[in-house]
């Protein structure tokens, strides 16, 4: 349960955010509702997220896996829920989306994807547990620009996930809308 009211004052900024959120996501995002209690924080977050959305050096699937591995490490159910939905909307392989929390035991991932998720977890640990060999493998595979973007997106997801978890935000039901088969379901069937 959220630790803050999700019914902020309906300022002009929040009304615009509601309109945009409903248009793009079909509902108002709970993090926006929470941040709207402080319009400067909401405005800064919106501008920041617009800027982050323009980063294009890292492959979109690798970026999504890094974000979800980070969110899973922190335990942010809101971020995992939204991450599932966004990834499926983009057409990411269903199995890769579902197996993020258990990626070490899944054969769904390439060696590079495994390196990305391992790096995300190592960065998220407190204190960070990144080792030189990890970074070297990723720089070699991705190039320096994409490696910097990977590092930055993991840091951004740490901000998002830690803030959402601390505010008590939980799954908002996005996963239920993205046609991800339930574990053990027959391929082609859809979970409710």
């Amino acid at each position: 349960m959220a630790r803050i009211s999700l019914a902020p004052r309906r300022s002009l900024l929040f009304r615009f955010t509601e309109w945009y959120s409903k248009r793009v996501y079909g509902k108002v995002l709970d993090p926006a509702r929470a941040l709207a209690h402080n319009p400067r924080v909401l405005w800064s977050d919106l501008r920041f997220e617009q800027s982050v959305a323009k980063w294009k050096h890292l492959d979109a699937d690798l970026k999504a896996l890094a974000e979800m591995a980070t969110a899973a490490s922190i335990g942010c159910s809101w971020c995992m829920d939204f991450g599932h939905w966004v990834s499926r909307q983009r057409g990411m392989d269903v199995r890769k989306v579902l197996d993020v929390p258990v990626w070490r035991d899944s054969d769904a991932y390439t060696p590079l994807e495994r390196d990305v998720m391992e790096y995300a977890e190592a960065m998220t640990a407190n204190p960070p547990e990144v080792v030189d060999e990890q970074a070297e493998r990723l720089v070699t595979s991705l190039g320096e620009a994409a490696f910097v973007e990977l590092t930055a997106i993991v840091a951004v997801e740490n901000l998002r996930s830690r803030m959402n978890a601390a505010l008590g935000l939980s799954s908002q039901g996005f996963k239920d809308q993205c046609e991800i088969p339930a574990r053990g379901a027959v391929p082609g069937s859809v979970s409710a």
Side-chain angles (χ1 to χ4, degrees):
M1 177 155 203
R3 294 184 177 107
I4 188 169
S5 163
L6 297 180
R9 188 176 66 79
R10 295 188 39 78
S11 68
L12 181 60
L13 174 61
F14 182 59
R15 289 192 314 254
F16 172 76
T17 303
E18 281 182 311
W19 170 82
Y20 179 81
S21 186
K22 286 177 186 175
R23 189 173 137 245
V24 174
Y25 308 111
K27 59 179 89 175
V28 181
L29 304 182
D30 284 350
R33 291 177 191 272
L35 295 183
H37 287 285
N38 185 323
R40 287 183 187 236
V41 172
L42 176 60
W43 179 245
S44 296
D45 185 69
L46 293 172
R47 288 187 338 210
F48 179 67
E49 289 293 347
Q50 284 179 327
S51 181
V52 169
K54 295 176 184 173
W55 299 350
K56 301 294 181 196
H57 285 281
L58 183 63
D59 172 80
D61 282 355
L62 294 177
K63 188 179 296 189
L65 291 173
E67 289 171 321
M68 287 191 293
T70 300
S73 291
I74 291 169
C76 180
S77 67
W78 193 95
C79 299
M80 289 299 294
D81 177 44
F82 189 69
H84 277 86
W85 183 80
V86 169
S87 296
R88 290 299 300 139
Q89 292 295 311
R90 279 189 27 269
M92 187 177 205
D93 180 271
V94 172
R95 184 148 175 244
K96 288 183 180 189
V97 174
L98 283 174
D99 283 359
V100 168
V102 294
W103 69 266
R104 291 182 194 289
D105 299 323
S106 173
D107 62 357
Y109 304 103
T110 67
L112 177 57
E113 291 167 336
R114 290 177 173 286
D115 282 347
V116 164
M117 290 186 286
E118 181 179 42
Y119 183 72
E121 287 182 356
M123 263 189 73
T124 301
N126 192 12
E129 299 172 350
V130 175
V131 295
D132 291 342
E133 295 78 23
Q134 259 177 336
E136 289 171 13
R137 277 194 318 272
L138 287 165
V139 168
T140 299
S141 297
L142 300 172
E144 290 178 336
F147 177 71
V148 167
E149 188 170 318
L150 170 62
T151 302
I153 202 65
V154 172
V156 168
E157 188 56 40
N158 264 270
L159 169 71
R160 293 170 181 148
S161 290
R162 291 179 189 282
M163 187 165 48
N164 291 341
L167 290 171
L169 304 181
S170 59
S171 173
Q172 201 172 337
F174 283 99
K175 185 177 176 186
D176 295 337
Q177 299 175 14
C178 63
E179 301 182 358
I180 297 176
R183 286 204 182 276
V186 177
S189 67
V190 177
S191 65

